[in-house]
Amino acid sequence: MGAYILRRLLLMIPTIVGIMAISFAVIQFAPGGPVEQVISDLTGQQGGDRLSGSSGDFGQSFSDDSSGRYRGAQGLDPEFIKKLEKQFGFDKPPLERFGEMMWNYIRFDFGESFFRNTSVVDLILDKMPVSISLGLWILLFSYAISIPLGIKKAISDGSTFDVWTSGIIIVGYAVPGFLFGILLIVLFAGGSFLDWFPLRGIVSDNFAQLNWWQKILDYFWHMTLPLITLLMSAFATTTLLTKNSFIDEIKKQYVTTARAKGLNERQVLYGHVFRNAMLIIIAGFPGAFITAFFTGSLLTEYIFSLDGLGRLGYDAVVKRDYPIVFATLYIFSLMGLFVSLLSDLVYTWVDPRIDFDRRDV
């Protein structure tokens, strides 16, 4: 296992470099770079014009052309344009910029935001509590609900309970989360009916003055509607996957043999079936982890005015704040690779028959 872990760790290096290189190359052809953003703000262009420059504008920003290559830059001092390019680091060739960026990222030096006048690390740390709050609870609640429910549905396959719960799950999964969130706001957050829950932030303004149990209640008071919104679709896929996996294992010969030896259904289910059936659930954990923490709550953050990593990343892409874009991509990619490795290690814990040292990576 030690050799396998070492190989996986070494493979992470070219993987993360490849991810960053492809993303960096794509960015070179994206219209409306930071320089154009500043120019459009200075010249008062509308948002549509701001991003309407040709796709080659950003890639050409490394040449010695005049400022005319930027849409809306006519009339501006070419020296001023060159100062902007130098300020954003675009006065250097792309390969040199990429090499410097990766060297800094290896040391976890992510620099400063182009437009927020603060370090990227501070921004990420500032937004992290919201994303952790949403991701952690959704991950725990969804697995705590979906796994027992999936097992129950597998045991009672075809029963009334199975049919009704399947209908509820499918409806919950089919309804877009943002629509359900809006419905909750209308019903329970000062819309047309009740005003039971707040609409902004994860804690109240007077949170620091509350005692410990009031802080807990205040926190969950703010998190109730966002969590319900995300939970409606989060557990559907895992529930159905758990059910189908258990049904498939229950039909195998070793289950019949275990029953023939006199084991009761609980012993058969949790002593034999559970470990094999859970392998496919564990396989999907890395994706569920990354999605729950960083990519699955963007619309929910906007609807409930939560300032998390999803919203930070989206705003950075719109504003072309590349230090934030690349830093979050780098961090999320690293976390995904490490979680994937952790998932493989959990495989061996659930089923000792799996030996990764006997196979190629």
Side-chain angles (χ1 to χ4, degrees):
M1 180 58 67
Y4 173 76
I5 294 175
L6 180 61
R7 290 198 302 269
R8 286 291 297 272
L9 291 175
L10 292 176
L11 277 175
M12 288 182 185
I13 298 174
T15 301
I16 193 67
V17 171
I19 292 173
M20 299 301 295
I22 293 174
S23 302
F24 187 86
V26 170
I27 285 297
Q28 305 312 304
F29 300 97
V35 175
E36 288 184 338
Q37 294 279 337
V38 174
I39 291 173
S40 65
D41 289 338
L42 291 175
T43 57
Q45 294 182 47
Q46 297 299 320
D49 292 334
R50 179 178 299 178
L51 302 179
S52 62
S54 64
S55 61
D57 285 347
F58 185 69
Q60 294 172 355
S61 64
F62 306 99
S63 67
D64 293 328
D65 267 344
S66 67
S67 62
R69 66 181 174 272
Y70 296 108
R71 172 172 290 234
Q74 291 81 1
L76 293 179
D77 185 356
E79 292 299 322
F80 173 73
I81 302 299
K82 290 182 179 180
K83 288 181 180 179
L84 282 179
E85 290 179 345
K86 185 176 182 179
Q87 176 183 343
F88 293 125
F90 296 157
D91 58 327
K92 302 175 183 178
L95 288 179
E96 182 180 346
R97 290 198 301 115
F98 179 74
E100 289 182 357
M101 181 183 73
M102 292 306 300
W103 172 245
N104 291 331
Y105 283 12
I106 291 173
R107 298 174 293 153
F108 289 93
D109 178 8
F110 300 114
E112 291 193 357
S113 165
F114 282 164
F115 303 107
R116 294 174 181 253
N117 197 31
T118 186
S119 71
V120 175
V121 172
D122 289 340
L123 283 172
I124 292 176
L125 293 177
D126 183 57
K127 313 301 181 185
M128 190 71 77
V130 173
S131 294
I132 291 179
S133 295
L134 292 174
L136 179 63
W137 291 117
I138 287 300
L139 200 64
L140 292 177
F141 286 152
S142 62
Y143 272 77
I145 294 174
S146 60
I147 292 177
L149 181 59
I151 295 174
K152 176 62 177 177
K153 286 173 64 63
I155 296 174
S156 56
D157 183 39
S159 66
T160 302
F161 172 81
D162 181 43
V163 173
W164 278 99
T165 52
S166 294
I168 295 173
I169 289 172
I170 292 173
V171 171
Y173 184 74
V175 176
F178 72 92
L179 287 180
F180 190 74
I182 293 173
L183 176 63
L184 291 178
I185 291 175
V186 171
L187 294 178
F188 303 111
S192 301
F193 296 92
L194 304 173
D195 189 9
W196 289 353
F197 297 97
L199 273 178
R200 184 177 298 275
I202 60 174
V203 293
S204 300
D205 294 335
N206 64 335
F207 184 78
Q209 284 73 46
L210 303 177
N211 57 43
W212 66 268
W213 64 268
Q214 289 176 327
K215 289 182 177 179
I216 295 176
L217 292 178
D218 181 77
Y219 170 77
F220 282 104
W221 181 48
H222 283 76
M223 294 298 296
T224 297
L225 296 187
L227 290 179
I228 293 176
T229 300
L230 292 171
L231 192 61
M232 284 302 295
S233 60
F235 73 92
T237 302
T238 308
T239 299
L240 297 179
L241 190 63
T242 302
K243 173 192 173 182
N244 294 332
S245 179
F246 270 81
I247 289 177
D248 183 60
E249 291 295 327
I250 288 173
K251 295 179 180 179
K252 292 184 177 180
Q253 183 62 42
Y254 74 88
V255 175
T256 303
T257 303
R259 288 169 176 165
K261 291 181 178 180
L263 299 180
N264 58 44
E265 285 299 312
R266 185 176 184 84
Q267 291 174 320
V268 170
L269 188 64
Y270 294 102
H272 294 75
V273 175
F274 184 82
R275 290 190 304 176
N276 296 326
M278 285 302 295
L279 289 177
I280 192 172
I281 309 301
I282 295 173
F285 179 79
F289 177 87
I290 298 299
T291 299
F293 271 78
F294 304 114
T295 62
S297 60
L298 172 60
L299 290 176
T300 302
E301 289 180 11
Y302 266 98
I303 291 172
F304 292 98
S305 299
L306 301 176
D307 199 8
L309 289 175
R311 189 169 181 176
L312 174 67
Y314 175 77
D315 290 340
V317 171
V318 172
K319 190 65 177 175
R320 303 299 195 266
D321 199 339
Y322 294 138
I324 297 178
V325 173
F326 286 121
T328 52
L329 175 64
Y330 181 80
I331 293 172
F332 298 167
S333 299
L334 273 183
M335 292 191 66
L337 292 172
F338 277 106
V339 171
S340 179
L341 175 59
L342 178 62
S343 176
D344 288 346
L345 298 180
V346 175
Y347 275 156
T348 62
W349 174 69
V350 175
D351 190 348
R353 296 173 300 173
I354 298 177
D355 187 358
F356 289 107
D357 284 330
R358 295 182 182 179
R359 60 185 288 272
D360 295 331
V361 177

